[in-house]
């Protein structure tokens, strides 16, 4: 910084503004600590796999090492398109009659609105749909890669367990996602899900009431339940677990090359 | 050289010494750096992915279907990633249904759905236990044949389970001339066991062979068992009275031809493995595979055009026995081919494990005196890349110092000796002149 004697108005102002913030939020020591932690040996951020092991060639399996990244990119796209869809979707599955007497429900009507009336609505829904398929495929293939290259071995057992949890959560994301349009597929899938929940011993019916709101799909309350699971509970937990998953990869390093 | 690196590490940050780590690092960074090389590649992948999603969403509109109603008449198939669970749910009806602790608060009903829940839980529990079950140090798939075979069998099981979940579609799509499902329920249930086991065994044999293990005992027993099952069942189908339905009886000769082709494939593989020396057995199995494939396709095409009705009835005999009559001959030929494969790329394959740590070069005595081997080259890596500027082929002492320090146990001197013997063989073939 320049000396105060010839300080311009801009510099004075900056010092005043940042000084005001700094006296209240002393961020400098924290930033310094973080920088030191980041720059420690083996833990600096911009250090790729090839760089860390000083590789001059790429093993023919390495293209498969981008599958985890692909699933994360798909997850980001899902978040963005999901937020946009959330502005138009109505999580209400209660049965209703059309003017001609056919069955319908508000959730399905809002889906039709997204597909036919909202500008670029079908593109946004299509992106959400295909990104979900790509994410699940990428997560499964990523798991296969980790399995076949033995990357789950010591000291990465914990990260493998977290990965299994993430795989289950991804499948749950997909399942809860196709419950929401309140179409025939949703109805059939919800029935199977309710039956599977109710079949568990002792707590079956209570668990079904908790997860599905009812013991059958007639009331349509399951749409609201699974909407909340799909857009709040699962993303909240999954994002946290993903951060831990990737943080462990950063700390432990990508599995050694072979 | 190592001590200099340590000194630099200690003196890091002092005037005149470079920073070793961090963004302001000034010295040469080895390897492929994250920015801009790897970042460029990542952005290409990201843009490509986004482009694919835009393309799909613009031209392949996701399905919406009719609104939900309590009476779902048609078969609603879930998304592909849940099919395996649905298949497990459907096969759960093979388990007994009973209730324990009836009348007590702990009453548990072992219904078909509950068995389905348990079956779906098994793969998840297996995945959770995996890192604690597999404690070996081998990471490369080909060096851990059991793990790789189990993994491939598991992937196969996911496929067959998914196939079973849409059994109604299969039954509707493929039928016998009298309207029965072509592949019956029993055969489809056995798909849960037989194809995964066959895939696991074949990949185990193939991967062990890749790691130089002689697999003859495995091959002899497996191909013989396959042949005996196929031949025994073929004979039973043809000669036990009452086995063939009256509709198929008129096509006995055509059926016998198909069964002969299938039995002969398994039999020829078993015979080749049993009596022939390795190189000739390999060729025999190769020819068997090609001839069987051509004969089967040829017979199928001929019969389909000449006598389509006969072909339909023959299929109605073959398809319910897919697990034995159709899969076992293919299994015998493929496994024998893998198990007899010449491991010609073995040394390259082993050297390929090198990740260029450079320890071999540090200990190599030859590189200390050879002029053209000086200069920080990596012995194993350069040899593998056929750039013989590591240790030239004829100056290596085969002292094995490099193998002693190699973190991946690469036997460099074995490779050198092998290459020398190959060179001698070549020169002998050229008339005995030394190269």
């Amino acid at each position: 910084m320049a000396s105060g004697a010839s300080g311009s108005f801009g510099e004075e102002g900056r010092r005043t503004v940042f000084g005001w913030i700094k006296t209240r939020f002393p961020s400098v020591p924290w930033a310094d600590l973080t920088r030191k932690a980041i720059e420690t040996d083996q833990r600096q951020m911009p250090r790729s796999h090839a760089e860390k092991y000083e590789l001059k060639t790429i093993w023919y399996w390495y293209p498969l090492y981008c599958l985890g990244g692909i699933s994360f990119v798909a997850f980001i796209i899902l978040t963005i398109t999901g937020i946009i869809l959330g502005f138009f979707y109505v999580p209400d599955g209660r049965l209703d009659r059309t003017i001609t007497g056919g069955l319908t429900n508000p959730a399905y009507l809002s889906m039709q609105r997204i597909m036919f009336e909202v500008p670029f609505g079908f593109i946004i829904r299509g992106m959400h749909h295909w990104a979900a398929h790509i994410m699940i495929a990428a997560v499964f293939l990523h798991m296969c890669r980790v399995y076949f290259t033995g990357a789950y071995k010591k000291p990465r057992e914990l990260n493998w367990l977290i990965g299994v949890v993430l795989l289950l959560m991804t499948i749950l994301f997909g399942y809860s996602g196709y419950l929401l349009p309140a179409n025939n597929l949703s109805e059939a899938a919800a029935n199977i899900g309710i039956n599977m929940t109710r079949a568990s011993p002792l707590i079956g019916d209570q668990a079904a009431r908790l997860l599905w709101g009812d013991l059958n799909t007639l009331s349509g309350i399951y749409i609201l339940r699974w909407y909340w699971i799909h857009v709040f509970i699962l993303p909240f937990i999954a994002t946290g677990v993903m951060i831990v998953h990737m943080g462990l990869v950063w700390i432990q390093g990508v599995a050694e090359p072979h | 050289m190592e001590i200099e690196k340590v000194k630099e590490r200690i003196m890091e940050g002092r005037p005149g010494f470079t920073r070793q780590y961090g963004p302001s690092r000034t010295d040469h960074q080895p390897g492929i750096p994250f920015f801009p090389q790897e970042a460029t590649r990542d952005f290409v992948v990201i843009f490509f992915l986004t482009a694919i999603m835009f393309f799909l969403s613009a031209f392949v509109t996701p399905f919406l279907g009719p609104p939900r109603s309590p009476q779902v008449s048609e078969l609603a198939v879930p998304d592909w990633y849940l099919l395996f669970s649905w298949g497990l749910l459907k096969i759960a009806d093979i388990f007994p249904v009973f209730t324990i602790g009836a009348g007590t608060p702990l009453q548990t009903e072992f219904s078909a759905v509950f068995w389905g829940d348990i079956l779906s839980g098994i793969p998840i529990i297996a995945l959770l236990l995996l890192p604690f079950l597999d404690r070996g140090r081998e990471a490369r798939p080909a060096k851990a044949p059991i793990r790789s075979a189990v993994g491939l069998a598991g992937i196969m099981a996911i496929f067959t389970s998914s196939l079973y979940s849409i059994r109604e579609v299969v039954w509707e799509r493929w039928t016998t001339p009298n309207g029965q499902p072509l592949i019956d329920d029993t055969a489809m249930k056995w798909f849960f066991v037989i194809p995964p086991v066959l895939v696991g065994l074949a990949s185990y044999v193939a991967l062990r062979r890749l790691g130089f293990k002689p697999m003859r005992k495995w091959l002899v027993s497996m191909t013989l068992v396959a042949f005996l099952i196929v031949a025994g069942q073929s004979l039973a189908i043809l000669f036990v009275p009452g086995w063939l339905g009256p509709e198929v009886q008129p096509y006995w000769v055509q059926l016998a031809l198909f069964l002969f082709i299938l039995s002969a494939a398994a039999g020829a593989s078993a015979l080749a493995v049993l009596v022939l020396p390795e190189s000739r057995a390999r060729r025999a199995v190769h020819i068997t595979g090609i001839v069987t494939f051509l004969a089967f396709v040829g017979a199928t095409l001929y019969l389909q055009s000449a006598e389509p009705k006969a072909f339909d009835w023959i299929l109605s005999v073959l398809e319910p026995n897919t697990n034995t009559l159709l899969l076992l001959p293919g299994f015998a030929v493929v496994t024998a081919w893998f198990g007899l494969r010449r491991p010609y790329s073995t040394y390259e394959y082993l050297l390929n494990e090198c990740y260029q740590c450079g320890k071999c070069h540090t200990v190599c005595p030859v590189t200390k005196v050879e002029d053209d081997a000086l200069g920080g080259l990596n012995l194993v890596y350069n040899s593998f890349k056929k750039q013989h500027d590591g240790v030239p082929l004829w100056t290596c002492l085969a002292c094995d110092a490099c193998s002693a320090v190699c973190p991946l146990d690469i036997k460099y001197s074995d490779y050198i000796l092998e290459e020398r013997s190959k060179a001698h063989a070549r020169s002998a073939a050229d008339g005995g002149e030394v190269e």
Side-chain angles (χ1 to χ4, degrees):
Chain A
M1 285 289 155
S3 62
S6 61
S8 63
F9 177 73
E11 256 183 30
E12 283 292 322
R14 202 161 70 191
R15 198 177 299 155
T16 317
V17 173
F18 281 110
W20 191 90
I21 295 172
K22 266 182 191 172
T23 44
R24 278 143 192 88
F25 304 99
S27 56
V28 172
W30 293 103
D32 217 41
L33 261 181
T34 315
R35 188 180 59 78
K36 279 201 175 113
I38 284 172
E39 290 174 7
T40 314
D41 191 2
Q42 303 295 322
R43 220 183 282 183
Q44 43 181 321
M45 194 54 169
R47 216 164 166 233
S48 69
H49 182 65
E51 203 176 351
K52 181 175 169 187
Y53 296 106
E54 307 195 4
L55 300 184
K56 294 169 204 77
T57 49
I58 299 296
W59 186 33
Y60 44 84
W61 275 68
Y62 281 171
L64 300 179
Y65 280 55
C66 73
L67 286 165
I70 284 179
S71 54
F72 187 62
V73 170
F75 180 70
I76 291 170
I77 292 174
L78 281 167
T79 312
I80 297 167
T81 53
I83 288 170
I84 299 171
L85 286 176
F87 289 125
F88 302 99
Y89 175 75
V90 179
D92 183 358
R94 282 173 298 185
L95 291 174
D96 204 350
R97 292 274 171 198
T98 57
I99 304 165
T100 52
L103 274 177
T104 185
N105 58 72
Y108 185 79
L109 289 175
S110 71
M111 289 302 297
Q112 280 188 323
R113 209 175 141 240
I114 288 169
M115 291 300 281
F116 303 121
E117 287 172 34
V118 176
F120 300 110
F122 79 101
I123 290 273
I124 297 295
R125 177 168 177 245
M127 291 282 280
H128 200 72
H129 176 94
W130 288 113
H133 282 265
I134 287 175
M135 181 179 173
I136 291 170
V139 164
F140 182 73
L141 293 175
H142 171 64
M143 191 194 72
C144 290
R145 196 280 293 165
V146 171
Y147 178 88
F148 284 109
T149 56
Y152 54 81
K153 287 168 187 286
K154 179 187 165 186
R156 298 185 176 80
E157 294 100 330
L158 177 66
N159 223 13
W160 169 265
L161 297 186
I162 293 174
V164 173
V165 172
L166 275 174
L167 172 75
L168 293 180
M169 292 182 79
T170 313
I171 290 177
L172 261 185
F173 258 124
Y175 177 66
S176 57
Y178 76 76
L179 287 178
L180 296 185
N183 53 10
N184 253 352
L185 177 62
S186 154
E187 174 81 17
N191 272 317
I192 294 176
I194 290 176
N195 285 339
M196 282 180 80
T197 315
R198 289 188 68 185
S200 47
L202 307 180
I203 54 158
D205 284 0
Q206 284 84 340
R209 277 207 190 83
L210 182 72
L211 274 178
W212 300 87
D214 206 344
L215 295 183
N216 53 55
T217 54
L218 268 181
S219 61
I221 191 78
Y222 77 92
I223 297 275
L224 183 57
R225 284 288 152 102
W226 282 89
Y227 174 73
W228 200 236
I229 292 172
H230 185 80
V231 303
F232 184 74
I233 297 174
L234 275 179
F236 203 70
I237 302 171
T239 309
V241 179
M242 272 180 216
I243 289 169
V244 176
H245 193 67
M246 289 183 284
L248 274 176
V249 173
W250 178 24
I251 290 168
Q252 297 179 328
V254 179
E256 290 79 6
H258 321 295
Chain B
M1 233 192 281
E2 289 295 315
I3 197 78
E4 281 153 20
K5 274 189 179 172
V6 174
K7 264 185 194 163
E8 276 177 23
R9 185 78 59 88
I10 294 169
M11 302 302 283
E12 178 188 2
R14 303 278 171 86
F17 287 87
T18 51
R19 279 178 63 93
Q20 297 287 303
Y21 299 103
S24 56
R25 175 174 163 174
T26 49
D27 61 332
H28 165 70
Q29 295 202 2
I32 301 163
F34 180 77
F35 192 85
Q37 280 87 339
E38 297 219 334
T40 309
R41 179 206 58 195
D42 291 351
F43 275 111
V44 168
V45 171
I46 290 170
F47 287 141
F48 188 61
L49 204 63
T50 319
I52 288 174
M53 284 176 200
F54 265 112
F55 179 84
L56 285 171
S57 55
F59 295 108
V60 192
T61 314
F63 159 92
L64 186 56
R68 77 183 191 89
S69 72
Q71 296 93 32
V72 181
S73 53
E74 80 217 54
L75 178 77
V77 178
D79 274 356
W80 54 271
Y81 47 85
L82 284 171
L83 286 182
F84 81 97
S85 170
W86 206 29
L88 291 173
L89 205 62
K90 281 192 177 179
I91 202 179
D93 61 14
I94 62 170
F95 292 103
V97 173
F98 56 90
T99 307
I100 56 172
T104 65
L106 292 175
Q107 174 177 340
T108 305
E109 192 188 347
F110 281 76
S111 59
V113 187
F114 183 47
W115 280 116
D117 283 0
I118 294 174
L119 285 181
S120 299
I122 288 174
I124 296 163
I125 291 169
L127 285 179
L128 289 175
L129 288 179
L130 172 72
F132 309 103
L133 294 176
D134 177 22
R135 311 288 297 177
R137 76 171 266 283
E138 290 298 353
R140 187 170 262 247
K143 284 198 140 191
I146 294 178
R147 185 207 335 138
S148 303
V150 169
L152 289 173
I155 292 175
M156 191 68 211
I158 289 174
F159 275 110
T160 52
S161 175
S162 304
L163 181 70
Y164 188 71
S165 76
I166 51 166
R167 58 182 177 182
E168 288 85 359
V169 180
V170 175
W171 291 340
E172 210 174 302
R173 174 73 181 75
W174 289 284
T175 54
T176 60
N178 58 2
Q180 294 294 313
L182 190 57
I183 310 177
D184 61 2
D185 192 41
T186 319
M188 287 193 78
K189 280 196 168 106
W190 277 105
F191 282 174
F192 276 83
V193 182
I194 305 294
V197 167
L198 294 185
V199 165
L201 284 174
S203 34
Y204 178 76
V205 168
L207 293 175
R208 286 292 297 261
R209 176 67 180 179
L210 212 58
F212 317 96
K213 300 288 187 300
M215 297 306 289
R216 192 156 176 279
K217 276 180 196 162
W218 283 76
L219 282 184
V220 167
S221 54
M222 291 194 321
T223 47
L224 265 183
V225 167
F227 168 66
L228 289 177
I229 292 176
V230 175
Q233 198 176 10
S234 301
L235 291 176
I237 286 175
L238 291 175
F239 295 111
V240 172
W243 196 298
L244 280 182
E247 308 95 331
V248 199
Q249 282 292 357
Y251 311 112
W252 193 91
V253 178
Q254 292 93 322
L255 178 65
L257 174 72
F258 270 92
L259 291 177
F260 173 74
I261 292 172
L262 293 168
S263 310
S269 313
L271 199 67
V273 171
L274 199 61
V275 297
L276 289 181
E278 202 171 88
S279 58
R280 285 169 64 197
R282 178 163 55 233
R283 201 172 308 139
V285 167
H286 204 102
I287 293 169
T288 304
I290 294 171
V291 168
T292 309
F293 181 75
L294 291 179
F296 194 84
V297 171
T300 305
L301 290 178
Y302 170 73
L303 216 58
Q304 262 182 333
S305 58
E307 300 174 80
K309 202 159 170 245
F311 183 70
D312 286 350
W313 280 115
I314 286 170
L315 271 190
S316 78
V317 176
L318 293 184
E319 290 290 347
N321 301 309
T322 306
N323 283 307
T324 46
L325 289 182
L326 292 181
L327 292 185
L328 280 182
F331 166 75
V333 173
V334 169
T335 315
W337 187 80
F338 272 128
L340 294 167
R341 215 152 66 112
R342 185 197 294 118
Y344 58 91
S345 60
T346 306
Y347 280 104
E348 283 188 355
Y349 167 77
L350 287 179
L351 295 179
N352 193 10
E353 290 205 338
C354 166
Y355 60 90
Q356 308 145 35
C357 69
K359 286 192 172 68
C360 50
H361 185 269
T362 312
V363 297
C364 181
V366 179
T367 55
K368 306 287 179 290
V369 292
E370 273 281 320
D371 270 352
D372 56 349
L374 295 172
L377 294 162
N378 185 311
L379 214 114
V380 175
Y381 175 69
N382 285 321
S383 309
F384 161 58
K385 281 287 174 189
K386 300 270 192 263
Q387 301 164 351
H388 284 289
D389 43 5
V391 171
L393 186 60
W394 302 101
T395 45
C396 173
L397 301 172
C399 68
D400 252 349
C402 46
S403 309
V405 293
C406 180
L408 285 159
D409 286 337
I410 296 170
K411 297 279 179 280
Y412 182 72
S413 60
D414 283 9
Y415 171 74
I416 287 290
L417 296 178
E418 172 88 9
E419 286 294 308
R420 283 180 188 169
S421 72
K422 270 191 210 161
H424 276 305
R426 271 199 299 274
S427 68
D430 289 345
E433 285 196 26
V434 181
E435 275 183 45

